[in-house]
Amino acid sequence: MRILLVEDEPAIAQVVTHALRAEGFEAVHCLTGGDALAAACGQDFDLAVLDVGLPDIGGFALCRQLRRERDLPVIFLTAQDAEADRILGLEIGADDYVTKPFSPRELVARVRVVLRRMQPPQPVMTRQNDAVFAHDAEGHRIRYRGRVLDLTRYEYGLLAALLQRPGAVLSRAQLMDRVWGDALESGDRTVDTHIKTLRAKLRDVAPDEDPIRTHRGLGYSLEVGA
């Protein structure tokens, strides 16, 4: 698999590149955001590791530009340990967030976790009450009342997690673990935000229905009855 590493500190980039290649990854290193965008135009990448503090384009802005063409998994590297920066990175769609200094072996492990999480589930069609929801796990598509929902990666992940256990109450921590893996240190706000946008898309299909139930202090559940 091909990994795009965007890091303006050559010493860090050399260590990370070596660690990735030692584990069988093809690593392409760019010093600037501009170089990364040029590289992305000429080849496909399976994941990007982006330094937040780049000299030309900020890592967050670079993430947005790289994702204009495809849904690329992203891990951020940063020397900043502020909670606000972690939340911002995760809310724009980061799959993980690593604070410098870090262990190259840990970073490679996180790369593997993210890539494994991106693999499709078992290639089968599962259904929870055909009249309400139909989940195509292989195609990462969910139908609601017969209409395919236009979902972001995390909206899809949340709804798929709730569909796996209809009626069961899943805590925010459980949802974070299933959808974001171990990427979040704190994320109630992130889960709530994505639940809100997911609810809005469900209401676009059926304005009078709200199949997602909020259980205060506990979490969320999904009702799939007709």
Side-chain angles (χ1 to χ4, degrees), residues 47-69:
L47 181 143
V49 179
L50 309 179
D51 184 13
V52 171
L54 296 171
D56 56 345
I57 305 172
F60 296 148
L62 177 59
C63 176
R64 294 188 183 97
Q65 293 191 48
L66 288 171
R67 284 181 164 171
R68 286 178 180 173
E69 299 299 326

Side-chain angles (χ1 to χ4, degrees), residues 98-214:
V98 180
T99 303
K100 299 177 184 177
F102 58 86
S103 161
R105 292 180 62 186
E106 178 188 356
L107 175 59
V108 172
R110 288 175 178 265
V111 167
R112 289 194 179 281
V113 168
V114 171
L115 290 173
R116 186 165 60 246
R117 205 159 61 226
M118 294 302 297
Q119 295 301 312
Q122 296 180 352
V124 297
M125 174 73 82
T126 59
R127 295 182 181 271
Q128 291 80 18
N129 194 322
D130 288 348
V132 183
F133 288 99
H135 182 195
D136 177 2
E138 182 178 21
H140 282 204
R141 290 186 298 269
I142 297 177
R143 291 179 181 272
Y144 177 52
R145 295 296 183 188
R147 186 188 303 179
V148 176
L149 296 169
D150 182 14
L151 303 174
T152 66
R153 179 195 311 173
Y154 296 124
E155 289 168 350
Y156 166 80
L158 284 170
L159 186 53
L162 291 168
L163 279 169
Q164 287 179 353
R165 296 185 61 194
V169 179
L170 298 182
S171 68
R172 290 175 176 84
Q174 288 175 308
L175 290 170
M176 285 161 48
D177 181 66
R178 296 183 185 201
V179 180
W180 284 271
D182 60 353
L184 296 178
E185 296 179 17
S186 60
D188 286 0
R189 177 183 171 190
T190 298
V191 173
D192 292 344
T193 298
H194 284 83
I195 287 288
K196 181 179 179 180
T197 59
L198 179 57
R199 271 185 166 135
K201 292 182 178 181
L202 294 175
R203 288 196 183 103
D204 284 343
V205 177
D208 297 329
E209 299 180 11
D210 185 10
I212 298 178
R213 301 285 188 264
T214 300

Side-chain angles (χ1 to χ4, degrees), residues 69-81:
E69 299 299 326
R70 60 185 295 262
D71 194 12
L72 180 70
V74 168
I75 296 176
F76 282 124
L77 299 179
T78 181
Q80 302 173 17
D81 196 23

Side-chain angles (χ1 to χ4, degrees), residues 4-8 28-43 45 49-63 65-66:
L4 173 63
L5 170 64
V6 190
E7 169 59 63
D8 65 333
V28 176
H29 172 230
C30 295
L31 285 168
T32 67
D35 290 343
L37 291 173
C41 288
Q43 53 192 317
F45 293 96
V49 179
L50 309 179
D51 184 13
V52 171
L54 296 171
D56 56 345
I57 305 172
F60 296 148
L62 177 59
C63 176
Q65 293 191 48
L66 288 171

